[in-house]
Amino acid sequence: MAAEIAEQPETLARLLTDGAAPIASVAQAVAARKPRFVLLAARGTSDHAALYLKYLIEVRLGLPVGLVSPSTLTVYAARPCYDDVLWIALSQSGGSPDLVESTTRAREAGAWAIAITNAPESPLATAADAHIDVMAGPELAVAATKSYTSELLAAWLLAESWAGGDTSRAEVLPALARDVLDRGYGLEVAPRYRFVERLVTTGRGFAYPTAREAALKLMETSYLSAHAFSSADLMHGPLAMIDEDRPVIAVVPFGAGGAAMQPVLDRLAERGADVLVEGDVERAPRAAAAIPLPETGEDLAPILQIMPLQQLAYAMAIARGYDPDAPRGLRKITETL
Amino acid sequence: MAAEIAEQPETLARLLTDGAAPIASVAQAVAARKPRFVLLAARGTSDHAALYLKYLIEVRLGLPVGLVSPSTLTVYAARPCYDDVLWIALSQSGGSPDLVESTTRAREAGAWAIAITNAPESPLATAADAHIDVMAGPELAVAATKSYTSELLAAWLLAESWAGGDTSRAEVLPALARDVLDRGYGLEVAPRYRFVERLVTTGRGFAYPTAREAALKLMETSYLSAHAFSSADLMHGPLAMIDEDRPVIAVVPFGAGGAAMQPVLDRLAERGADVLVEGDVERAPRAAAAIPLPETGEDLAPILQIMPLQQLAYAMAIARGYDPDAPRGLRKITETL
């Protein structure tokens, strides 16, 4: 897991060099079809990449987007009409049978389907009309890390090319990723959380998928209860459970999303919550710990945001005597039928 | 909160008697417009009613449905094209400024908008093209209970009328609700959970919103970490965190959703997890506790499923010395901007 976290500057660079052109041609095919609605299908870590892609398409392309509940097609055998629908399935392994089946059903219902995977020969890749290879290379640790950031970058390249934008803005990412990882912020703050059993992560907009993915990594490797809330939802109930024993990790981007989080950050400070702020750390001057990140534009920020939190998940697992490479009860490809 | 939980047979009966006709005429207006895509906007408890409505529309009407991230409209000022889109905003209070604003923006973008609220004079009700009153009466407890089941029933009536189905199937609900509440299952199992700090809820398909709402109620009133996972997602990572100290509440409907949960229930049994099974209890014969429910059809089941779990949330709060009517840190109308 440590090696795969460290490899991310290279995997991102590879995708930018070798993947941008094939992704741009998929984007051209999408643009030519003029889809009116987008459905995204994914599970686990890839579901967080799907959520990121949802924000990108909604904000950049103005199309309505839905995250699919595969069970409506596979369990309840719904017979939908998907004309004018672009279906995008995301999966590192490309092997989840329910994603393969729901993608096949979606095409039968009229959708044009793209698979985004780290496995070009996988059943999912071949079940779709077009495939995007995230080129992260073999991932051996059960907790996905480099394949996640490569999925994010592939999603960004797809949306940006589709919108006719300039993808060169992403070229700065490998160097920034190297810098963020070298600083080792996640390793540094890990001792604070050695004995924590319950934790909340929060973010808003583009940063919300990071909060969800960070919570999943912590649960997978350290078995703690890590709860992710959009900062807007946090105000609607779960704020009651924040107390001195339940620290908060707040992913606060530079820009509009960070500004929208200010009221939540202020409420947390009022309540004396123990907050680790990541990103635009100036927004939480009373935070107990801070991980500053470089400014990249809010849409690209998630690709860097997760890295210190991957390090944190890794370091917490080691400190607790767990093996982050072999979490109990997990298999790499999950066969949900 | 106890009084409002107990009132549900009456509030459901009132909605069936007085609400079915107005909802049917909204459904007629929807059907006449032939929307091609549905977007649902909600937060907190109402978000779980929205998720239920998503399954209903996908399965019963075969339309693609998306749960909206209001921030794309309110924080990032996306300018979408929502022609042929039906927008449905759900909110007990009808007072959340971000829902009002995003509903206004959605209409400007071309959507036809319905508001489902418990407050016909609210800003949200008046911001939409049509309003559905869930008629639950004043709700004073901060933790929403009766307004939730009334939202579910209103959602079911809308989808069923829109599909041209027979809504009389719901008429059995008030009597069944009375029976389920009188049995007091939730109160009875509460002592088992007196000292639990972390808990997982799970369900699939139509039952997944119940798992999410139950987790939220437990968090709001007893401040414990209650994590909801779709049973499919539970296999993708979080299963690692289930151990002897982390009980599971599994909402298992009769029908296809329950059958699809069997592999997860078997894995939990293998792992020796402490499971409370609710619904089709035969699917988990080794469960530590069981709450049997009457068979109602999987689509209607969520309206009953939540009731014992509301009782559980109430009884756990009392047993822990908390005031379920005044959770710390919460306000009834949450003003997210």
Side-chain angles (χ1 to χ4, degrees):
Chain A
M1 183 177 174
E4 288 167 0
I5 291 172
E7 205 185 322
Q8 291 175 103
E10 286 77 51
T11 52
L12 295 176
R14 186 190 310 146
L15 183 58
L16 286 168
T17 308
D18 300 340
I23 292 174
S25 62
V26 174
Q28 268 190 323
V30 170
R33 293 185 167 267
K34 299 195 197 305
R36 299 194 50 207
F37 320 110
V38 183
L39 290 178
L40 306 177
R43 290 204 181 279
T45 289
S46 295
D47 202 29
H48 307 146
L51 185 59
Y52 169 72
L53 182 52
K54 179 176 191 285
Y55 283 99
L56 286 174
I57 296 174
E58 287 179 353
V59 171
R60 196 72 178 87
L61 290 139
L63 289 177
V65 184
L67 292 175
V68 163
S69 318
S71 66
T72 56
L73 295 166
T74 59
V75 176
Y76 299 113
R79 294 172 171 279
C81 171
Y82 283 172
D83 293 338
D84 297 326
V85 168
L86 171 66
W87 173 279
I88 307 178
L90 297 95
S91 164
Q92 284 95 339
S93 71
S96 293
D98 65 338
L99 284 184
V100 176
E101 187 190 339
S102 57
T103 298
T104 303
R105 296 283 187 88
R107 289 182 66 203
E108 288 164 6
W112 197 73
I114 301 176
I116 301 181
T117 81
N118 193 30
E121 309 298 325
S122 63
L124 184 61
T126 51
D129 293 288
H131 176 250
I132 289 175
D133 182 357
V134 305
M135 303 181 181
E139 189 170 60
L140 302 178
V142 172
T145 54
K146 63 177 182 168
S147 68
Y148 175 66
T149 48
S150 291
E151 281 184 344
L152 296 184
L153 179 56
W156 186 87
L157 288 168
L158 175 65
E160 197 64 22
S161 303
W162 177 6
D166 174 12
T167 58
S168 69
R169 198 154 60 85
E171 283 164 16
V172 70
L173 286 173
L176 291 178
R178 166 63 56 220
D179 185 57
V180 165
L181 287 169
D182 283 351
R183 287 175 193 264
Y185 292 119
L187 308 172
E188 197 179 292
V189 297
R192 295 193 81 239
Y193 300 102
R194 167 67 182 85
F195 297 105
V196 78
E197 286 305 325
R198 300 181 296 175
L199 178 151
V200 164
T201 65
T202 191
R204 195 155 181 210
F206 288 113
Y208 176 47
T210 305
R212 298 215 9 211
E213 173 61 6
L216 180 60
K217 284 303 98 147
L218 292 167
M219 287 190 281
E220 283 180 341
T221 55
S222 290
Y223 317 121
L224 47 85
S225 278
H227 245 289
F229 293 103
S230 114
S231 307
D233 287 326
L234 192 57
M235 303 283 270
H236 271 256
L239 198 69
M241 68 178 225
I242 307 292
D243 56 28
E244 59 283 0
D245 299 326
R246 192 138 15 177
V248 177
I249 297 178
V251 185
V252 183
F254 292 90
M261 288 180 72
Q262 193 66 60
V264 183
L265 295 170
D266 294 345
R267 283 288 288 281
L268 288 170
E270 272 169 38
R271 291 179 60 85
D274 182 295
V275 175
L276 165 63
V277 60
E278 189 200 44
D280 185 0
V281 300
E282 303 292 319
R283 291 203 175 274
R286 289 158 60 191
I291 299 180
L293 290 179
E295 228 177 310
T296 52
E298 205 171 332
D299 56 339
L300 285 173
I303 299 170
L304 299 177
Q305 283 160 356
I306 194 61
M307 294 182 186
L309 304 175
Q310 293 168 338
Q311 290 179 325
L312 174 62
Y314 172 79
M316 275 172 71
I318 297 287
R320 288 165 184 235
Y322 300 131
D323 178 358
D325 289 331
R328 60 188 191 211
L330 280 185
R331 298 162 187 165
K332 182 76 182 165
I333 300 176
T334 309
E335 303 224 336
T336 318
L337 290 165
Chain B
M1 184 178 174
E4 289 168 359
I5 291 172
E7 206 185 323
Q8 292 175 102
E10 286 77 48
T11 51
L12 294 176
R14 185 191 311 146
L15 183 58
L16 286 168
T17 308
D18 300 341
I23 291 173
S25 63
V26 173
Q28 269 190 322
V30 170
R33 294 185 168 266
K34 299 193 196 304
R36 298 194 49 208
F37 197 83
V38 184
L39 290 178
L40 306 176
R43 289 204 182 279
T45 290
S46 296
D47 201 30
H48 306 147
L51 185 57
Y52 169 71
L53 181 54
K54 178 176 192 284
Y55 283 99
L56 285 174
I57 296 174
E58 287 179 352
V59 172
R60 196 75 178 83
L61 291 139
L63 289 177
V65 184
L67 293 174
V68 163
S69 319
S71 67
T72 55
L73 295 166
T74 60
V75 175
Y76 299 112
R79 296 172 171 277
C81 171
Y82 283 172
D83 293 339
D84 297 325
V85 166
L86 171 65
W87 172 278
I88 307 177
L90 297 94
S91 164
Q92 284 96 339
S93 70
S96 292
D98 64 339
L99 284 185
V100 176
E101 187 190 339
S102 56
T103 299
T104 303
R105 295 284 186 88
R107 289 182 66 202
E108 289 165 4
W112 197 73
I114 301 175
I116 301 180
T117 81
N118 193 30
E121 310 298 325
S122 63
L124 183 61
T126 50
D129 294 288
H131 176 249
I132 289 175
D133 182 358
V134 305
M135 302 183 183
E139 188 169 61
L140 303 178
V142 172
T145 54
K146 63 177 183 169
S147 68
Y148 175 65
T149 48
S150 291
E151 281 184 343
L152 295 184
L153 179 56
W156 186 87
L157 288 168
L158 176 65
E160 197 64 22
S161 304
W162 177 7
D166 174 12
T167 59
S168 68
R169 198 154 62 83
E171 283 165 15
V172 69
L173 286 174
L176 291 178
R178 168 61 57 219
D179 185 57
V180 165
L181 288 168
D182 284 352
R183 288 176 193 263
Y185 292 120
L187 308 173
E188 198 180 292
V189 297
R192 295 193 83 239
Y193 300 100
R194 167 66 182 88
F195 296 105
V196 77
E197 286 304 325
R198 301 182 294 175
L199 178 152
V200 163
T201 66
T202 189
R204 193 153 183 213
F206 288 113
Y208 176 46
T210 305
R212 297 213 11 207
E213 172 62 7
L216 180 60
K217 283 306 96 145
L218 292 167
M219 285 190 282
E220 283 179 341
T221 57
S222 289
Y223 317 121
L224 46 83
S225 278
H227 244 289
F229 294 102
S230 116
S231 306
D233 287 325
L234 193 56
M235 303 282 271
H236 271 257
L239 198 69
M241 67 179 223
I242 308 292
D243 55 29
E244 60 282 2
D245 300 326
R246 192 138 13 177
V248 177
I249 297 178
V251 186
V252 183
F254 292 91
M261 287 178 71
Q262 193 67 61
V264 183
L265 295 170
D266 294 345
R267 282 289 289 279
L268 289 170
E270 272 169 38
R271 291 178 62 83
D274 182 295
V275 175
L276 165 63
V277 58
E278 190 199 44
D280 184 0
V281 300
E282 304 292 320
R283 291 204 176 273
R286 290 158 60 191
I291 299 181
L293 289 179
E295 227 178 309
T296 51
E298 204 171 332
D299 56 339
L300 286 171
I303 299 171
L304 299 177
Q305 282 160 359
I306 193 61
M307 294 182 187
L309 304 175
Q310 292 168 337
Q311 288 179 326
L312 174 63
Y314 173 79
M316 275 172 70
I318 298 287
R320 289 166 184 236
Y322 301 132
D323 178 357
D325 290 331
R328 61 188 189 212
L330 280 184
R331 297 162 187 165
K332 183 75 182 166
I333 302 176
T334 310
E335 305 224 336
T336 319
L337 289 167

